């Protein structure tokens, strides 16, 4: 049996405590890969740095810490390919490492329009990947989706919404986790795959379900449009 759980976070807007709470909640529900859809692109980096500082007990970052971090980073990159957030080989899912530098390797993220990264040609505004055999398109703002995106992908995961939603339009699904900041409720979401079955759920940070797990009935006959 093949299983996969993907945590989805969006629109933290500098609230690193909410980012941390969502990460721990989703990890507790089995997530080992994560999507951060933006809403302040650099929050992932700042959260990682904050976790790293806390793991050192708050002491100043030293030259020895730098050497240790570089050695760990090289050990990871040299021994195995960079893991994808959504594409997980059938079989055994690896337990998520606790080292903050390695946690970053389990995230995919997309930029929001008012970020510098959105205007950086080296940073993709949308990310395409696979969940099982379903093509998934990630973005912060669904208005960035093009006709080709809508033709090719079957699942769209986006941010910039005040509450979690699962909307089906024809054979396609639009999923959003809601917001970690600036909404009536702070929420995040989970996309689970068991063999060929997909389920979407959304959660408040106190662990209460906002959307109970719902199945996605995906048309797997979709073909890529190549121009």
């Amino acid at each position: 049996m093949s299983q996969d759980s993907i945590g989805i976070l969006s629109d933290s807007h500098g609230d690193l405590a909410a980012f941390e709470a969502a990460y721990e909640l989703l990890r507790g529900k089995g997530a080992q890969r994560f999507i951060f859809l933006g809403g302040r692109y650099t929050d992932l980096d700042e959260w990682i740095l904050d976790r790293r500082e806390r793991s050192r007990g708050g002491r100043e970052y030293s030259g020895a810490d730098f050497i240790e971090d570089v050695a760990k980073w090289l050990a990871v990159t040299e021994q195995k390919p960079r893991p994808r957030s959504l594409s997980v080989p059938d079989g055994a899912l690896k337990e998520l490492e606790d080292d903050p530098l390695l946690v970053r390797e389990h995230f995919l993220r997309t930029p929001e329009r008012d970020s510098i990264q959105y205007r950086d040609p080296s940073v993709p505004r949308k990310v395409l990947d696979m969940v099982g055999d379903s093509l998934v398109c990630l973005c912060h703002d669904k208005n960035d989706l093009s006709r080709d995106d809508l033709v090719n992908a079957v699942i769209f995961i986006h941010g910039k919404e005040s509450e979690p939603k699962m909307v089906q339009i024809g054979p396609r699904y639009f999923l959003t986790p809601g917001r970690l900041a600036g909404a009536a409720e702070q929420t995040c979401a989970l996309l689970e795959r068991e063999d060929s079955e997909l389920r979407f759920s959304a959660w408040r940070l106190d662990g209460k379900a906002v959307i109970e797990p719902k199945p996605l009935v995906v048309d797997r006959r979709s073909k890529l449009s190549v121009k």
Side-chain angles (χ1 to χ4, degrees):
M1 179 180 293
S2 175
Q3 294 180 310
D4 188 11
S5 296
I6 302 162
I8 309 170
L9 305 82
S10 188
D11 293 279
S12 47
H13 294 288
D15 191 339
L16 300 187
F19 197 112
E20 172 89 6
Y23 171 80
E24 294 297 344
L25 173 68
L26 294 169
R27 187 179 176 188
K29 293 186 178 299
Q32 294 183 310
R33 301 289 191 262
F34 296 86
I35 299 166
F36 177 50
L37 297 164
R40 201 174 82 168
Y41 185 86
T42 56
D43 279 356
L44 174 60
D45 304 306
E46 293 185 19
W47 173 69
I48 292 291
L49 289 174
D50 182 64
R51 283 177 68 91
R52 185 61 178 152
E53 183 176 345
R54 282 184 278 128
S55 74
R56 298 195 308 270
R59 63 180 173 80
E60 186 177 352
Y61 191 74
S62 66
D65 291 323
F66 173 77
I67 296 299
E68 179 184 356
D69 287 348
V70 171
K72 288 180 178 179
W73 187 273
L74 291 176
V76 172
T77 56
E78 289 174 357
Q79 291 178 11
K80 62 180 181 181
R82 181 182 178 87
R84 302 295 300 276
S85 284
L86 305 184
S87 301
V88 181
D90 289 344
L93 277 174
K94 188 178 182 297
E95 189 70 22
L96 185 63
E97 297 96 336
D98 287 322
D99 190 289
L101 290 177
L102 303 182
V103 169
R104 190 201 305 267
E105 294 298 296
H106 295 262
F107 272 85
L108 282 181
R109 62 175 161 174
T110 59
E112 66 279 6
R113 288 191 180 190
D114 58 357
S115 68
I116 295 174
Q117 291 78 15
Y118 188 87
R119 298 184 291 276
D120 184 342
S122 68
V123 177
R125 295 177 178 181
K126 294 169 284 188
V127 176
L128 292 174
D129 211 323
M130 302 292 293
V131 174
D133 56 2
S134 298
L135 184 64
V136 178
C137 181
L138 315 176
C139 64
H140 177 254
D141 188 343
K142 63 180 180 295
N143 290 322
D144 283 337
L145 296 171
S146 68
R147 180 182 180 279
D148 285 345
D149 297 326
L150 295 170
V151 168
N152 290 329
V154 293
I155 299 173
F156 301 86
I157 304 177
H158 64 91
K160 204 178 178 183
E161 294 286 349
S162 60
E163 60 186 25
K165 296 176 183 176
M166 184 177 91
V167 177
Q168 183 179 6
I169 301 177
R172 292 169 177 79
Y173 287 88
F174 295 80
L175 313 176
T176 181
R179 302 170 64 95
L180 290 176
E185 292 186 323
Q186 296 171 293
T187 58
C188 53
L190 192 67
L191 181 61
E192 299 172 277
R193 177 176 68 90
E194 184 172 324
D195 295 330
S196 61
E197 302 301 318
L198 297 173
R199 295 186 303 273
F200 176 77
S201 58
W203 307 84
R204 289 192 335 203
L205 298 189
D206 63 5
K208 181 179 179 181
V210 179
I211 298 177
E212 296 284 353
K214 290 185 176 181
L216 283 70
V217 182
V218 176
D219 182 358
R220 291 176 171 80
R221 295 172 298 174
S222 299
K223 302 293 183 181
L224 282 176
S225 172
V226 180
K227 294 186 178 181

